Amino acid sequence: VWGVLSKQGDEDHVAFEAAAGETVVIDVAANQIGSKANALLTVFDSTGRVLAASNDFDGQADPLAAVKSRAPFIAETEG
């Protein structure tokens, strides 16, 4: 999925479904492609409960999250 954060504080939302028990990996590649965005990744279930949140991963500026599916997800990125 390609998203664009056009100004500071902008958010992108992506909804998708995953089979029960499936692990979904979400990797925000902003810094990797030269963006100065300091992105925050939050993964919600279909009821709005936070399943995962990541600001940085492994010393890198881009967030990454892996979540085991139980229901449809909504992934939100802001930066």
Side-chain angles (χ1 to χ4, degrees):
V1 175
W2 186 262
V4 176
L5 300 171
S6 57
K7 62 181 178 175
Q8 186 173 357
D10 192 13
E11 298 179 356
D12 281 359
H13 299 257
V14 177
F16 59 92
E17 292 189 29
E22 182 177 11
T23 299
V24 177
V25 177
I26 304 165
D27 181 10
V28 177
N31 200 266
Q32 295 173 44
I33 62 169
S35 173
K36 294 180 183 176
N38 183 14
L40 169 65
L41 171 65
T42 309
V43 181
F44 302 91
D45 68 11
S46 59
T47 67
R49 183 175 60 114
V50 174
L51 300 176
S54 177
N55 187 17
D56 301 321
F57 178 76
D58 199 25
Q60 304 299 313
D62 291 334
L64 179 130
V67 182
K68 186 166 269 199
S69 173
R70 289 188 304 248
F73 294 135
I74 298 171
E76 174 182 289
T77 305
E78 60 181 271

